[in-house]
Amino acid sequence: MLARYGGDAVLRFHIRQKEDAKALAEAVNVLFLDVWEFNTEWVDIRLAKDVILSLLGLLPASLQKSHTPLMHDLAQTIFESYPSHFSDDLEQPSHHTHRGFTPSLRKTPDETNIFFQQYQPLSVILPWLRLMESLFPTHVRLINIGMTYEGRDIPALRVGVHPTNVEKPMDPRKTIIVAGGSHAREWISTSSVNYVAFSLITEYGKLKQITNLVEEFDWIFIPTLNPDGYVFTWENDRLWRKNRQQTNLRFCKGLDLDRTYGFEWDGHATKSNPCSESFSGEGPFQGVESSRFANWVKNETEQNNAKFVGFLDLHSYSQQILYPYSYSCSSAPPSLENLEELALGMAKAIRHVNSEKYTITSACEGSVMGKSKGKKEFDIWPRIETGGGSALDWFYHEMNVTYAYQLKLRDTGSYGFLLPSKNIVPTGKEVFAAITYFGNYLLGNKGVEVSDIVEKTNDQVAQSALSSHVSRPVSLLDVDSLPNSMVPETLDEEDTSEEPDWELRRKR
């Protein structure tokens, strides 16, 4: 670990003008740098310390001193992100072993806390998923979304209770997907999917509102859409991002799965560079895992009477709630007002848990630098990475999923992808609050106090878990500044049934 990352650093560049954004974007492409995160104010980049002078030489004078280091010892921070028993194995790779997870019919708070006190490898997650199915057979089923490039299953939990009246014709089953781990190194997204799944599963039949959510919807929880990459982060490279698919360059493996979907795929910028962290292949759906996930979704719709009404794609980091579109900042989604309305409610639900702020904007505007020119205008500066081919846009536009979001979880840069494990439970609570609100919003229930539900559930799910304070981002849409009357509790029943015009609407 020290040999791989001992000479690396993570720098945050503060962008103040369009020329700076353009120069930095060009330098990133020339030097093949690993961009960790970028938004309207800053760009985080990992690079070798001996490359810093080369990078600065490509940048204008305005950026020469407009950067700060985020981590003093990247290698040590990586080392500390692994569980203690796993860290010992990393020091002695010849004796590397996986700790197993032995299913037991005894379900105790201590057992629960142990699972969520540390990040877990796939070899532990898989038995845990089977355990959930065996302990709660009335409303949990372990399913397989498809097979990865390296031949692993993409496991998921289907949580829901179906009507038993077979004589009555069944309407399409409303289904919500909660997915994580498209980018392998974003471990907090995987642990948060598991936390939310566990909370929903164990509180069914105990809390009325949670019971309603399980009875009214099918919930699909996918801990990682990129199992190959996730395993690679545990066994070889903690900061691996892409899948493990072979490209046309033998020594540059992997595609960025969240840039390989078919809607507005735009891989021309990276087509000739498989070594790029955002390489999206040579054509739409070339990513094995994204292709099989999309085929599974279509098959559920066409063959299994499913109607997907929600898609929540968990990522890290920067604490943002992003809605379509990602591919372009000039295209407004047809259901923009409802998307913003629900996002405001989710952000408020999150803030009620640990006082953490999540900003709200479109996925495009949330990942580009620029300045506001007015209430409805935004001057877009050059993008660091393309935004086409995202799962978010594909679900929203191609599958007509009215409520599709990408949630970028903790933190805002202090640790980035290497968020300490003490944040697993606090972040899980925040995501559970958001998703509970999400479900109740779609149900159209009036006066639902989601914060009360979440508080009761969290006390039972993780009694001894610790929370931690993480720095907050600059708000694009500040929920705190809004009166309660402007943050909706739910969506009217009539609104949920409306089908928006799925032709793209251009901003004027």
Side-chain angles (χ1 to χ4, degrees), residues 118-134:
Q118 300 283 355
Y119 294 108
Q120 305 294 351
L122 191 64
S123 60
V124 174
I125 292 175
L126 288 174
W128 183 83
L129 296 175
R130 297 187 192 103
L131 177 63
M132 293 298 99
E133 180 185 44
S134 65

Side-chain angles (χ1 to χ4, degrees), residues 309-382:
V309 296
F311 176 66
L312 295 139
D313 190 16
L314 307 190
H315 287 259
S316 71
Y317 56 95
S318 69
Q319 296 183 200
Q320 293 178 301
I321 299 176
L322 306 176
Y323 54 80
Y325 287 106
S326 172
Y327 82 95
S328 171
C329 295
S330 62
S331 300
S335 58
L336 176 61
E337 292 182 1
N338 285 343
L339 286 165
E340 289 181 330
E341 198 172 54
L342 177 49
L344 280 167
M346 288 194 289
K348 186 175 181 181
I350 289 172
R351 197 185 72 245
H352 281 166
V353 179
N354 293 310
S355 300
E356 291 294 331
K357 274 192 174 182
Y358 278 59
T359 58
I360 301 164
T361 186
S362 74
C364 176
E365 292 181 1
S367 60
V368 297
M369 294 156 285
K371 287 188 179 293
S372 176
K373 296 168 59 178
K375 189 174 182 180
K376 294 186 177 181
E377 292 188 70
F378 193 78
D379 184 20
I380 301 300
W381 296 352

